[in-house]
Amino acid sequence: MPGTSCMFCGDRSVWVRQLDPDKATFRMYGKGHTFAHDMTLCDDCEQRWQADDIATLIERFRHSDEHFGDEAELMVSVVRRAGEGLSATPYDDHFPAGVKELRAQGFVPLQELTGLDEVWRVWPELHRRSVPETRPEWSPATECWLVRSPSTDLEPEHYLGAIWRLAEAGYPAEISNDEYWSRVERAAARVFTMDPAEVRRQST
């Protein structure tokens, strides 16, 4: 089953809606922002979208996202504008061919778990897979990476949580991308040799 949460309410997503990036730009707190190429929705929020029930979507977004709650009306209006006239796709059908079969083997698309796609590089080889990326909004000649847990007692999220905790321990105020990635590599090297119980402890 998909793991990405509905943008508006946080429930499990079953639909993906494309967004026009040229219409998905906005300013908030004096800074410019751009939404991603798509957003995910649960079945009920998709029905609200189709019914143009924007008031309900705004309220759901306000309560589900504390960080942007005060700007819920702005955020929803932006995605409404950017998604106008574009169709919805069933969540699983949005992924490249082969992902559904790998899900059945316990693999999860890495993009459902983290925005740092490069994590596949530090994941144990036996527990990572990829398929050619075919979605037009992604860069050509890239791969869609999937990972699974090395332990039957844990989820991939446990390993990622432990990696982030170790990588960000004593995190300096300013750090370059290369320095951060070095921290991730060192943390992953430790985490994937830990006993599952220790991974669980480090992930919380």
Side-chain angles (χ1 to χ4, degrees):
M1 290 296 291
T4 296
S5 299
C6 171
M7 172 183 169
F8 298 112
C9 70
D11 285 352
R12 190 175 291 274
S13 296
V14 293
W15 296 96
V16 175
R17 278 197 165 272
Q18 299 300 303
L19 298 177
D20 182 343
D22 293 333
K23 298 179 180 179
T25 60
F26 62 100
R27 294 190 67 80
M28 187 169 63
Y29 306 132
K31 295 183 178 180
H33 300 272
T34 302
F35 270 108
H37 292 282
D38 55 55
M39 64 177 176
T40 58
L41 298 88
C42 68
D43 198 48
D44 189 66
C45 284
E46 167 63 20
Q47 293 180 38
R48 301 282 183 176
W49 177 282
Q50 292 185 29
D52 208 28
D53 185 2
I54 303 304
T56 297
L57 296 179
I58 290 172
E59 279 306 302
R60 289 181 176 180
F61 187 70
R62 179 174 287 120
H63 291 292
S64 68
D65 194 320
E66 295 180 359
H67 183 65
F68 292 119
D70 293 340
E71 302 294 338
E73 188 170 351
L74 167 65
M75 305 285 274
V76 175
S77 69
V78 171
V79 296
R80 187 61 171 162
R81 179 186 67 211
E84 186 175 7
L86 301 179
S87 60
T89 303
Y91 187 90
D92 273 341
D93 293 347
H94 177 66
F95 284 87
V99 168
K100 189 177 296 186
E101 291 76 10
L102 287 170
R103 282 188 189 277
Q105 300 174 38
F107 290 91
V108 181
L110 196 54
Q111 64 198 247
E112 291 185 358
L113 304 171
T114 175
L116 189 63
D117 293 333
E118 293 86 351
V119 168
W120 72 265
R121 299 178 186 277
V122 297
W123 209 268
E125 187 173 354
L126 289 176
H127 300 286
R128 70 188 191 209
R129 298 287 186 275
S130 71
V131 297
E133 184 59 79
T134 57
R135 289 170 291 183
E137 67 269 26
W138 288 71
S139 300
T142 58
E143 298 287 306
C144 176
W145 283 93
L146 303 91
V147 299
R148 67 181 176 190
S149 173
S151 169
T152 57
D153 296 328
L154 300 175
E155 299 295 331
E157 291 91 334
H158 289 108
Y159 286 90
L160 285 172
I163 290 171
W164 303 148
R165 183 174 184 182
L166 292 178
E168 296 174 4
Y171 201 69
E174 295 185 8
I175 187 171
S176 69
N177 290 336
D178 288 343
E179 289 175 311
Y180 181 72
W181 179 249
S182 294
R183 280 172 164 260
V184 170
E185 288 182 316
R186 292 194 297 271
R190 289 180 56 190
V191 168
F192 287 116
T193 60
M194 288 178 179
D195 180 89
E198 178 63 12
V199 175
R200 186 185 296 276
R201 189 183 71 80
Q202 290 287 348
S203 69
T204 57

